[in-house]
């Protein structure tokens, strides 16, 4: 067979040649901007020569600090197709982390949405390698600094000559993009995606037993483009020829619901928090065309998925993965042998993380002994992953050698049980497990049960020290607005659902569960807050 590189230029040229008439819509600060793939492709060609004009090195890192927009998609292609590396900076990170990441990646230029300048500009003097800041004017009423390093995106594009001919990336293992993972401790770790991994992973978004992106779809990635390449949806859409709607800066549930309705979106994707927020609005919007809601990044509560199924007939398509896995590693799709099951059992299955997608291998390993565990849906262990879009190391080999096994598998830090069909059911993360009297308590399972209570908006369970059992669970609960709830009611709700020794020793009511920069529950923050927590009536831990 021919040895042709699996590289993003193919994805670009395919979109340009076959799907030029397809629309790209972006919701901006001052209204919607609609363009076509043909116009987008011409701008990608201009942008490639802009990178030359700005003197970005042949394999230089091109930083982006932006919302989900069609112009961000221009960077998604121009950087890797011209041999550079797209580096999507996470706009929600703390300043210190952003400074660390931009310096560690040695970004040479940062493209920034005008609305985000107030977050970025105070840091620029600490960025050691960035020579240019290119402002993408999204209509925000924010002053643009008068500084020789600052350029206007549209002015640069207008002055540029479009790159002519075919983009070529001869070696498919060349770096195409990179993302840093937040990391619960220490500095963020860089994950570098190759052209090969990006193309193969994009194909996975097209498989029928998955998101099944097709030319007929209108896709709205709500998951940020700075979070593991928006789960591969943008590259998948370009490969498939789907229309794309970009939500831009306004990510309120109202705005997301309006866009889904107005543009007759068929496929969308985002973390559970987004869909929790939109739940009360479902009755007011006609979302009939919507067929798939890809959801992951955190466990998708069964109750959330069921609420969507009951309201609009579309449960969540639950997927699991990590920045290190590009990110899609498993998807929870029902199989033919589930056809006869009752709806409640099907809902249980959808709450699982699901089977590995093609080309991904998983194994279950006892974190203590390193022994491979059986797939009996009872025995739990750490999930280890291998495959062509699973990281083999972190950028510059820094930040977590221990996370890779000697035989080249990724230690995910996620603890799961797996059934005999290979369907993964996450029970916790290694760092989040509660070990009570030598036995594991799955905080994620407890949270899901608590969040199934009709008065509960959110809940997180963390370990608190206990004199006898070493660790015990503390439930941190957010009550829905206008509702009242007592600790006794929470415990009474749990009693028939979990083993007695799993019941939390205490329930704390909080205003909201603190979130990480990508919208996940920040257990670390909660653990810090409740570090020395003392359960009334219990012997203090010394
Ligand atoms: P990140 O690299 O920030 O995407 O985080 C990856 C981690 O998020 C995984 O290792 C899991 O702990 C968690 N995660 C991602 N998807 C899911 C899911 N569907 N269910 C439960 N946890 C998830």
């Amino acid at each position: 067979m021919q040895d042709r590189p699996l590289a993003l230029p193919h994805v670009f040229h395919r979109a340009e040649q076959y799907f030029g008439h397809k629309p790209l819509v972006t919701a901006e600060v001052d209204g919607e901007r609609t363009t076509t793939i043909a116009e987008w492709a011409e701008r990608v060609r201009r942008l490639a020569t802009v990178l030359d004009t700005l003197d970005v090195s042949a394999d230089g890192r091109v930083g982006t600090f932006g919302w989900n927009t069609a112009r961000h998609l221009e960077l998604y292609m121009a950087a890797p197709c011209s041999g550079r590396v797209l580096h999507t900076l996470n706009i929600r990170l703390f300043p210190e982390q952003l400074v660390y990441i931009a310096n560690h990646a040695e970004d040479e230029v940062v493209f920034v949405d005008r609305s985000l300048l107030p977050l970025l500009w105070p840091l620029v003097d600490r960025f050691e390698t960035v020579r240019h800041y290119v402002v993408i004017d999204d209509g925000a009423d924010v002053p643009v600094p008068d500084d020789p390093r600052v350029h206007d995106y549209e002015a640069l594009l207008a002055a540029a000559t479009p790159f002519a001919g075919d983009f070529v990336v001869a070696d498919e293992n060349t770096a195409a993009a990179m993302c840093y993972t937040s990391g619960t401790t220490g500095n963020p770790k860089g994950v570098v995606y190759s052209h090969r991994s990006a193309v193969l992973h994009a194909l996975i978004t097209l498989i029928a037993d998955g998101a099944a992106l097709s030319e007929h779809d209108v896709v709205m990635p709500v998951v940020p483009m700075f979070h593991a390449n928006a789960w591969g949806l943008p590259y998948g859409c370009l490969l498939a020829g789907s229309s794309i709607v970009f939500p831009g800066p306004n990510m309120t549930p109202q705005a997301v619901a309006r866009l889904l309705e107005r543009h007759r979106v068929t496929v969308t994707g985002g973390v559970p928090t987004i869909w929790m927020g939109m739940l009360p609005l479902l009755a007011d919007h006609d979302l009939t065309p919507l067929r798939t809601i890809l959801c992951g990044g955190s466990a998708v509560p069964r109750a959330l998925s069921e609420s969507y199924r009951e309201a609009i007939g579309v449960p969540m398509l639950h997927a699991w993965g990590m920045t290190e896995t590009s990110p899609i590693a498993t998807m929870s799709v029902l199989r033919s042998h589930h056809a006869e099951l009752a709806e409640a059992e099907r809902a249980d299955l959808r709450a699982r993380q699901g089977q590995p997608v093609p080309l991904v291998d998983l194994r279950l390993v006892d974190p203590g002994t390193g022994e491979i565990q059986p797939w009996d849906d009872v025995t739990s262990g750490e999930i280890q992953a291998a495959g062509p879009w699973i990281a083999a190391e972190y950028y510059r080999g820094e930040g977590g050698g221990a996370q890779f096994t000697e035989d080249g598998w990724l230690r995910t830090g996620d603890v799961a049980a797996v059934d005999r069909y290979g369907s993964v059911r996450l029970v916790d993360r290694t760092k989040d497990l509660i070990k009570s009297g030598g036995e594991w308590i799955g905080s994620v399972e407890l949270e899901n049960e608590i969040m199934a209570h009709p008065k509960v908006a959110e809940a997180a369970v963390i370990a608190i020290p206990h004199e006898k059992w070493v660790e015990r669970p503390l439930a941190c609960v957010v009550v829905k607005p206008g509702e009242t709830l007592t600790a006794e009611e929470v415990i009474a709700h749990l009693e028939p659902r979990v083993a007695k020794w799993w019941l939390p020793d205490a329930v704390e009511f909080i205003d909201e569960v603190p979130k990480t920069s990508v919208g996940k529950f920040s257990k670390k923050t909660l653990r810090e807050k409740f570090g020395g927590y003392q359960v009334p009536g219990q012997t203090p831990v010394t």
Side-chain angles (χ1 to χ4, degrees):
M1 291 295 113
Q2 299 176 4
D3 185 11
R4 304 268 291 179
L6 295 171
L8 289 171
H10 172 82
V11 181
F12 172 78
H13 292 301
R14 179 179 164 80
E16 184 183 48
Q17 265 183 325
Y18 307 138
F19 308 123
H21 57 289
K22 299 298 300 276
L24 300 174
V25 177
T26 304
E28 297 204 329
V29 174
D30 51 0
E32 277 182 15
R33 179 185 286 245
T34 302
T35 177
T36 61
I37 290 276
E39 287 161 353
W40 165 85
E42 206 258 349
R43 290 165 59 88
V44 170
R45 289 179 173 280
R46 286 174 183 270
L47 185 51
T49 60
V50 165
L51 295 175
D52 296 337
T53 316
L54 294 178
D55 218 12
V56 178
S57 336
D59 63 350
R61 261 69 70 206
V62 174
T64 65
F65 198 73
W67 302 106
N68 288 12
T69 67
R71 291 191 278 192
H72 205 161
L73 191 71
E74 290 164 4
L75 287 148
Y76 256 55
M77 271 301 174
C81 286
S82 69
R84 278 87 177 196
V85 183
L86 173 82
H87 176 202
T88 50
L89 289 153
N90 182 339
I91 64 170
R92 306 218 177 99
L93 289 183
F94 296 114
E96 284 64 37
Q97 292 172 313
L98 278 171
V99 169
Y100 171 84
I101 287 171
N103 290 340
H104 192 259
E106 297 175 296
D107 290 340
E108 296 181 27
V109 53
V110 177
F111 290 77
V112 49
D113 281 343
R114 184 168 177 179
S115 57
L116 293 171
L117 270 172
L119 289 180
L120 187 81
W121 196 253
L123 312 179
V124 299
D125 289 331
R126 292 159 67 196
F127 290 162
E128 290 159 11
T129 53
V130 182
R131 290 178 278 109
H132 305 284
Y133 295 90
V134 182
V135 177
I136 301 174
D137 195 343
D138 57 8
D141 185 15
V142 165
V144 178
D146 183 12
D147 186 291
R149 293 169 294 181
V150 173
H151 312 267
D152 175 64
Y153 186 73
E154 292 302 328
L156 289 179
L157 282 194
T161 313
F163 174 84
D166 289 346
F167 289 116
V168 176
V169 170
D171 179 357
E172 63 183 18
N173 290 309
T174 308
M178 67 191 301
C179 278
Y180 280 74
T181 74
S182 301
T184 42
T185 53
N187 283 323
K189 301 169 280 188
V191 176
V192 182
Y193 307 106
S194 65
H195 279 263
R196 175 185 159 84
S197 73
V199 169
L200 287 171
H201 182 268
L203 272 174
I204 271 309
T205 65
L206 273 56
I207 59 169
D209 285 332
L213 298 189
S214 92
E215 193 274 335
H216 299 270
D217 280 310
V218 181
V219 181
M220 182 159 94
V222 180
V223 48
M225 290 172 82
F226 52 78
H227 188 200
N229 297 325
W231 299 349
L233 292 174
Y235 291 140
C237 288
L238 291 171
L239 206 51
S242 321
S243 308
I244 316 179
V245 179
F246 294 97
N250 186 354
M251 301 284 279
T252 59
Q254 289 78 4
V256 170
R258 266 199 309 272
L259 286 172
L260 289 173
E261 180 174 21
R262 176 158 358 114
H263 297 289
R264 304 184 59 78
V265 170
T266 59
V267 179
T268 186
V271 295
T273 310
I274 294 283
W275 311 122
M276 285 185 201
M278 221 179 75
L279 191 54
L281 307 175
L282 292 179
D284 304 331
H285 294 273
D286 175 10
L287 303 180
T288 316
L290 192 60
R291 66 163 175 86
T292 295
I293 306 170
L294 187 60
C295 191
S298 318
V300 178
R302 182 187 188 276
L304 175 72
S305 191
E306 279 298 274
S307 300
Y308 270 69
R309 187 184 61 76
E310 283 157 17
I312 59 169
V314 184
M316 304 281 144
L317 171 54
H318 192 175
W320 165 79
M322 319 164 64
T323 306
E324 291 89 332
T325 66
S326 289
I328 297 174
T330 70
M331 280 200 184
S332 197
V333 286
L334 296 181
R335 299 302 191 190
S336 53
H337 61 273
H338 301 136
E340 304 301 321
L341 294 180
E343 202 54 59
E345 292 169 293
R346 293 159 69 85
D348 289 344
L349 286 162
R350 283 191 290 260
R352 303 175 71 100
Q353 279 67 23
Q355 283 177 322
V357 294
L359 304 187
V360 168
D361 287 314
L362 297 183
R363 66 187 185 189
L364 198 60
V365 180
D366 183 309
T369 64
E371 274 170 30
I372 304 285
Q373 300 298 302
W375 288 8
D376 56 11
D377 208 21
V378 176
T379 315
S380 67
E382 183 185 30
I383 292 282
Q384 297 187 352
W389 56 83
I390 313 283
E393 59 176 339
Y394 291 110
Y395 183 49
R396 298 199 195 157
E398 280 172 25
Q403 218 167 317
F404 302 94
T405 66
E406 273 175 19
D407 58 348
W409 289 60
L410 169 74
R411 291 195 172 99
T412 66
D414 285 321
V415 177
V418 183
D419 75 11
R420 69 190 176 99
Y421 298 101
S423 171
V424 171
R425 177 171 58 88
L426 248 61
V427 292
D428 221 316
R429 297 182 186 183
T430 40
K431 40 211 175 255
D432 259 350
L433 273 177
I434 300 161
K435 202 166 197 189
S436 177
E439 296 289 340
W440 295 114
I441 295 178
S443 46
V444 175
E445 287 186 41
L446 273 177
E447 285 161 17
N448 283 341
E449 293 297 350
I450 299 172
M451 287 194 281
H453 190 289
K455 292 183 181 173
V456 171
E458 288 179 329
V461 176
I462 55 167
I464 47 168
H466 189 280
E467 208 197 24
K468 184 169 175 191
W469 305 107
V470 185
E471 289 180 12
R472 290 295 301 158
L474 166 73
C476 305
V477 176
V478 182
V479 181
K480 281 186 181 159
E483 300 284 6
T484 52
L485 191 64
T486 63
E488 288 71 21
E489 284 175 71
V490 173
I491 299 296
H493 165 80
L494 283 176
E495 254 161 3
R497 293 175 166 83
V498 301
K500 193 163 182 292
W501 61 276
W502 275 40
L503 291 174
D505 281 19
V507 178
E508 274 290 317
F509 292 98
I510 55 177
D511 291 339
E512 73 171 288
V513 176
K515 309 284 185 327
T516 67
S517 58
V518 291
K520 297 180 188 186
F521 289 179
S522 177
K523 299 269 186 92
K524 190 175 162 229
T525 315
L526 277 179
R527 281 197 292 265
E528 280 163 10
K529 178 170 170 162
F530 293 109
Y533 191 84
Q534 178 57 50
V535 180
Q538 271 183 10
T539 318
V541 178
T542 46

